[in-house]
Amino acid sequence: MIYLLNQSVRVAAARVPRREAFVCGTERLTYGELAVKANQLGLTLMSQGVRPGDRVGVYLHRCVETAVAIYGILEAGAVFVPLNPKSPVAYNAGIIADCDIKFLVTHPQQRRTYKKFFASTQVQTIGGRARKGEESSAGSWAEVYATEGSPISLTRRVETDLAYIIYTSGSTGRPKGIMHTHASGLAFARNAIARYGLDETDRFGNHAPISFDVSQLAYFGAPLLAATAVVATDAEVAFPQSLAALLERERISVWYSVPLAVTQLIASEALRERDISALRYLFYAGEAMPLNYLPGLAATFPGVRVANWYGPAETNVCTCYELPPDYATAEQVPIGKVWRNTDRRILSATGPPIADGGQGELCIRSTTQMLGYWKREQRSAKAWYEEAGPGGQTLRFYRTGDLVKVGDDGLLHLLGRVDHQVKVRGYRVELVNIEQALLAHAAVSGACVVAVPGQEEALRIEAVVVLTAPEVTTGKELSGYLRGRLPWYAIPRAVTILRSLPTTTSGKTDRMAVSRLFSTAQP
């Protein structure tokens, strides 16, 4: 029985040692090789004084060593903390300090940036040594792979042990660490496998950095099945044509990413001459798929089962909705229903749960949910809605901050964020409704609407859009378009046209960056 994430690699290595475990560019790692290398890294960490529960950072570009790092840290009984090399140095240094990270698993290619951590932290690198005797290095990859020793004992390990801490900025911009256990990581992988019948013949395509929870289907799910995970390189992620070639070359059968990666493939027509007949599932999450891309999605991926997955990093995926065969003409895409081992409540604005039919904040109780926020006790306490359960048990539901309602179809429909519902001119406005109205325009391929302080601290609504082609319309014309579809108080002050929407490192629309565009603008 697998109860620790790293056990899945051990079991796969014993059963199919020569099967490819992780592929990235020209690098390929079998399960036998991964098990040996992970054990070697675990032994190296332990020889440096790393103990169960210690936090170890992973600071790597997309490469097969990311899998070695994750599973090697877990072999040592430690907690892996993924850092994104594309994030600002100060941001990552703050995480290193917050988690008291003493060792960073990295690569010489990252030296230009990781060496900047030495000025403000006491971190040492493993795998990052570019030359012998380099300061702050605890060993190179060659030294790690020369380590000898028996498999590390897994005694005194339990499934509720902390396995990883993933950081997210949230709406405030201050990073917060989300604590997940072996049990919650495995529960997500098992839920996906059971619902969609994924098996060991599948090849999981991964577009996301390991600092983003979307990556966990490949990193956790593939080893649990002894299947193969194909990690897109940094270069392949940057260009739709390269990503399309990857889908064809590696015969990827399961794809999971944010919608942006999919819409870029559609808009570029990069898949037009590609054979992607091996693809059987396309899952997307993180944001809503723009409705005007649904016809292109259906045309680009005929015969592929498409599902909208929903869930914040605190719960991982908790609801899902498989699009029907005629989804190309759909006027809305719900987030569906909770999947197995998951329960929900919908809270009214005043707190008590409401019956299906009303709208309120979605709260989730699941085997995939976090333990809490790292060193943020007050924030953790506010994250839960609690109610009395049978036998004196207390049931804890994570407050997602998302507004939902149950439609006549019995499915959950996402209405927006609690913190995206703003009051303008005395009226409550859902910013997501304005975005949906803009995306309904044939010339708009992307939209983001924010509320920013105006004169005397009053809020004003601003909108930015990306067009399907240059000069097909103007911001003024789009404002007029909205006046025919929205109440007067919900009309943005202006609609600004951008070449592209700013995005976070995980590929989501960066609403904070959009807000900053207007922070000094005059109303």
Side-chain angles (χ1 to χ4, degrees):
M1 173 64 179
I2 293 174
Y3 62 94
L4 301 175
L5 284 164
N6 46 305
Q7 279 183 301
S8 62
V9 170
R10 292 190 178 200
V11 171
R15 188 165 65 84
V16 285
R18 296 180 181 177
R19 180 173 295 164
E20 287 182 343
F22 284 86
V23 175
C24 186
T26 58
E27 300 175 299
R28 294 174 185 268
L29 200 62
T30 67
Y31 276 105
E33 292 168 335
L34 176 56
V36 170
K37 292 177 184 294
N39 190 67
Q40 289 172 319
L41 177 58
L43 290 170
T44 300
L45 289 167
M46 292 167 68
S47 72
Q48 293 292 328
V50 172
R51 296 293 177 261
D54 287 351
R55 281 74 55 206
V56 178
V58 181
Y59 190 75
L60 287 165
H61 60 290
R62 291 173 170 87
C63 57
V64 294
E65 277 80 18
T66 55
V68 176
I70 288 171
Y71 285 101
I73 292 167
L74 294 176
E75 282 290 311
V79 178
F80 75 87
V81 183
L83 304 170
N84 193 327
K86 293 186 177 181
S87 295
V89 170
Y91 181 92
N92 283 325
I95 293 174
I96 291 171
D98 188 52
C99 261
D100 192 25
I101 292 173
K102 295 294 189 288
F103 293 95
L104 201 65
V105 180
T106 185
H107 191 279
Q109 291 183 11
Q110 308 298 137
R111 186 175 186 275
R112 186 176 63 85
T113 50
Y114 75 61
K115 67 180 182 179
K116 296 178 182 179
F117 299 140
F118 302 153
S120 57
T121 71
Q122 300 299 310
V123 72
Q124 290 184 282
T125 64
I126 291 179
R129 180 182 290 171
R131 58 186 65 89
K132 189 174 181 180
E134 183 176 56
E135 185 181 1
S136 298
S137 174
S140 66
W141 280 109
E143 290 168 319
V144 170
Y145 294 154
T147 303
E148 296 182 357
S150 302
I152 297 168
S153 172
L154 299 182
T155 58
R156 298 186 179 180
R157 310 274 185 90
V158 298
E159 63 184 4
T160 52
D161 286 347
L162 195 59
Y164 63 97
I165 300 175
I166 192 165
Y167 273 77
T168 179
S169 294
S171 58
T172 65
R174 180 186 173 190
K176 59 181 184 292
I178 299 169
M179 299 187 292
H180 277 281
T181 64
H182 288 266
S184 63
L186 284 168
F188 161 63
R190 287 182 173 126
N191 283 358
I193 290 167
R195 182 174 183 87
Y196 296 98
L198 309 181
D199 61 43
E200 63 182 14
T201 66
D202 278 312
R203 296 177 68 82
F204 292 67
N206 178 59
H207 176 275
I210 61 170
S211 55
F212 186 28
D213 59 350
V214 166
S215 68
Q216 291 167 11
L217 181 64
Y219 279 96
F220 298 165
L224 192 59
L225 288 167
T228 301
V230 180
V231 179
T233 65
D234 291 345
E236 287 166 338
V237 167
F239 301 103
Q241 291 77 12
S242 299
L243 208 57
L246 175 73
L247 286 165
E248 178 183 51
R249 183 180 69 251
E250 295 295 343
R251 302 293 293 167
I252 289 172
S253 60
V254 179
W255 181 258
Y256 179 34
S257 73
V258 293
L260 180 62
V262 179
T263 58
Q264 287 177 337
L265 284 169
I266 296 169
S268 67
E269 298 185 341
L271 290 171
R272 174 176 288 184
E273 304 299 327
R274 297 290 181 181
D275 177 10
I276 57 169
S277 57
L279 189 66
R280 64 192 191 108
Y281 283 111
L282 189 156
F283 308 127
Y284 67 86
E287 291 184 302
M289 180 73 70
L291 294 178
N292 56 342
Y293 272 99
L294 294 183
L297 184 67
T300 306
F301 300 97
V304 176
R305 293 172 64 180
V306 180
N308 176 24
W309 284 3
Y310 161 85
E314 287 84 350
T315 67
N316 214 312
V317 175
C318 54
T319 80
C320 51
Y321 172 74
E322 186 166 338
L323 277 64
D326 59 349
Y327 70 82
T329 57
E331 296 181 356
Q332 58 182 349
V333 177
I335 60 173
K337 295 182 178 181
V338 296
W339 60 8
R340 72 175 198 169
N341 291 324
T342 303
D343 193 12
R344 66 168 173 83
R345 296 289 185 271
I346 300 176
L347 299 187
S348 66
T350 57
I354 59 177
D356 289 355
Q359 73 176 49
E361 181 183 7
L362 179 63
C363 298
I364 292 292
R365 183 170 71 98
S366 176
T367 53
T368 63
Q369 69 191 27
M370 67 172 182
L371 282 180
Y373 297 113
W374 175 256
K375 295 199 308 190
R376 302 279 288 275
E377 290 80 7
Q378 290 185 346
R379 182 66 180 266
S380 294
K382 293 179 180 178
W384 308 105
Y385 161 72
E386 297 184 345
E387 66 178 43
Q393 180 184 11
T394 298
L395 307 182
R396 295 206 313 167
F397 294 76
Y398 173 70
R399 304 184 67 136
T400 66
D402 286 325
L403 288 171
V404 299
K405 71 173 182 179
V406 179
D408 295 336
D409 51 11
L411 302 173
L412 287 165
H413 293 255
L414 187 62
L415 304 178
R417 290 284 301 168
V418 171
D419 51 8
H420 290 168
Q421 183 185 74
V422 297
K423 201 167 187 177
V424 180
R425 304 182 185 105
Y427 295 90
R428 292 200 174 277
V429 177
E430 294 284 356
L431 299 181
V432 69
N433 291 345
I434 307 174
E435 291 175 355
Q436 290 172 347
L438 284 166
L439 289 168
H441 192 287
V444 177
S445 61
C448 180
V449 178
V450 295
V452 296
Q455 289 180 330
E456 299 178 356
E457 298 303 315
L459 289 177
R460 70 177 191 276
I461 300 172
E462 298 281 358
V464 296
V465 299
V466 176
L467 302 180
T468 54
E471 301 177 357
V472 293
T473 188
T474 65
K476 186 175 181 179
E477 290 171 344
L478 288 171
S479 293
Y481 171 81
L482 290 178
R483 289 189 186 95
R485 288 158 177 79
L486 297 173
W488 65 271
Y489 53 82
I491 305 300
R493 183 189 69 89
V495 178
T496 302
I497 296 173
L498 302 179
R499 293 182 62 183
S500 62
L501 293 178
T503 58
T504 65
T505 54
S506 60
K508 296 181 183 180
T509 302
D510 191 338
R511 294 182 178 277
M512 293 179 63
V514 173
S515 296
R516 286 195 293 271
L517 295 175
F518 304 102
S519 61
T520 58
Q522 295 299 315

